[in-house]
Amino acid sequence: MAAPRFATATAVRGYSSSAQPKTQFMGSAQRVGEYFVGASLGLAAGYYVWGDKALQRDIAVKQNSSSASDDPVHFVQQPKPAVPAPTDPLVLRVVLTGGPCGGKTSAMSTLTKTFKAQGYSVYVVPEIPTLLFQSGIPPISEMKEEQLMTLEEQILRTQLCFENTVLSVARAMNKPAVVFFDRGLLDVGSYLPLEKWHKLLDSTKWVESDLRSRYDLVVHLVTAADGAEKHYTSENNNTRTEGVQMARELDQKVRDAWVAHPNVAVIDNSTDFQNKVTRAAQAVTELARLKSAPATPATTTPTTPTTPTPTPTAPSTTTTTTTTTNH
């Protein structure tokens, strides 16, 4: 007759099929009890650690959802995008900025055509605040301080994501390219009191110098309210609400925000608008030429030839005045 299936397990433990002495049984029971106590203590410690972590997660979720407690759907905030933008010798990163009605939109169109004609791939990152206001966000004048800070933080986060996406694609194409930014990240600080800007940076753990270093060149197109007042208008931008005086003040604040950047070209209104745009193109062309210029070799050892970068040429124009600051 076949032995029961549990016989092998019994034999392993040193038992036979016959009855064991009572004292031996009691010893086994004692060992089982010790094992049980040890296992219970181990489980208790594990539950304590697990429970503490669960409690911390619960606290974090509650804090994150406190501002949207009435919303049945809760989205956990995603990690902030990386701030440092990797440099690439083939990709030139240019900010177009300035006060209201400085000509950024018109200049962007001309610059795009100019550099495409020179063989560059051209990418344009649009002005994020304008996109957001066109989506239905109320004017800043209607916001309380907390609401304004929320808006400005989201502008920064959205622009960082947009910039990183475009720059990643431009680098992946492995071709000479110019990326134009319709305003840069430091422009956000121009529309905030200084203490609020610093508070925003502290809360996001971002460093101003990191935001500044994401760009190779800053082209500041001075507002028409300073030197070309008769051309100052809000008709071409329904989100523009500034008067002439406020436009001048904002223009200066924007210029101050970028004062520490090493390459800033300030394009004033000393000429007509067409030549103003041409001077902006010349500033970009000059930096592109410097960036693509081969470094002086340390030795006379021949190097492997690389794919040539298109030689940028500025559009022909009459002599004009461009105020350029290099800090």
Side-chain angles (χ1 to χ4, degrees):
M1 180 178 180
R5 295 183 61 185
F6 58 79
T8 302
T10 302
V12 169
R13 291 184 175 89
Y15 293 100
S16 65
S17 57
S18 60
Q20 297 296 319
K22 185 175 183 180
T23 55
Q24 203 167 3
F25 174 78
M26 292 300 292
S28 299
Q30 183 178 0
R31 288 195 297 272
V32 170
E34 291 172 352
Y35 292 152
F36 178 77
V37 172
S40 298
L41 291 175
L43 287 173
Y47 277 121
Y48 175 80
V49 174
W50 175 85
D52 181 67
K53 291 183 178 180
L55 177 62
Q56 295 302 321
R57 286 196 301 269
D58 184 60
I59 291 174
V61 170
K62 287 181 178 179
Q63 289 177 343
N64 197 38
S65 60
S66 59
S67 60
S69 56
D70 296 332
D71 190 351
V73 180
H74 172 64
F75 297 94
V76 178
Q77 189 174 14
Q78 297 300 313
K80 65 183 181 183
V83 171
T87 59
D88 189 314
L90 293 178
V91 180
L92 183 66
R93 305 163 299 177
V94 180
V95 173
L96 285 189
T97 187
C101 196
K104 291 189 290 82
T105 301
S106 299
M108 191 76 76
S109 176
T110 300
L111 290 171
T112 298
K113 294 176 182 177
T114 298
F115 284 90
K116 280 186 175 180
Q118 294 181 13
Y120 286 91
S121 296
V122 178
Y123 303 82
V124 176
V125 176
E127 186 177 15
I128 301 303
T130 297
L131 292 180
L132 293 179
F133 283 118
Q134 289 175 344
S135 70
I137 291 178
I140 290 178
S141 58
E142 299 179 10
M143 295 185 179
K144 298 178 181 179
E145 179 180 325
E146 183 180 355
Q147 296 167 333
L148 175 60
M149 295 298 287
T150 298
L151 170 63
E152 300 296 354
E153 179 179 342
Q154 294 310 314
I155 288 175
L156 279 177
R157 292 184 182 278
T158 302
Q159 183 156 342
L160 272 168
C161 288
F162 213 125
E163 288 185 3
N164 287 344
T165 298
V166 173
L167 287 171
S168 294
V169 173
R171 289 194 301 270
M173 299 305 294
N174 198 32
K175 296 179 180 179
V178 180
V179 180
F180 290 108
F181 303 88
D182 193 341
R183 294 199 179 279
L185 290 164
L186 294 191
D187 282 53
V188 173
S190 307
Y191 289 80
L192 285 173
L194 187 59
E195 65 274 11
K196 297 294 187 296
W197 171 241
H198 289 162
K199 180 180 178 181
L200 179 57
L201 292 178
D202 290 341
S203 65
T204 56
K205 307 301 181 185
W206 290 327
V207 181
E208 188 172 285
S209 59
D210 288 340
L211 302 181
R212 185 187 304 115
S213 65
R214 292 173 60 87
Y215 314 103
D216 299 306
L217 173 67
V218 178
V219 177
H220 183 105
L221 300 171
V222 176
T223 174
D226 184 5
E229 290 81 359
K230 66 179 181 179
H231 297 292
Y232 184 80
T233 180
S234 59
E235 294 180 358
N236 59 344
N237 189 334
N238 56 16
T239 65
R240 183 180 300 147
T241 59
E242 302 86 2
V244 171
Q245 184 57 37
M246 182 175 289
R248 291 172 180 168
E249 294 174 1
L250 283 173
D251 189 273
Q252 186 60 52
K253 288 181 178 179
V254 173
R255 193 184 304 191
D256 292 342
W258 294 99
V259 70
H261 196 282
N263 298 304
V264 178
V266 178
I267 314 297
D268 59 22
N269 295 300
S270 59
T271 65
D272 60 27
F273 183 72
Q274 184 57 49
N275 280 321
K276 181 179 182 180
V277 175
T278 299
R279 286 184 287 143
Q282 288 174 333
V284 179
T285 297
E286 179 60 24
L287 190 65
R289 181 181 289 112
L290 292 174
K291 188 171 182 178
S292 61
T296 302
T299 64
T300 58
T301 304
T303 57
T304 304
T306 58
T307 303
T309 300
T311 302
T313 56
S316 59
T317 181
T318 57
T319 303
T320 57
T321 303
T322 300
T323 305
T324 304
T325 59
N326 289 296
H327 303 276

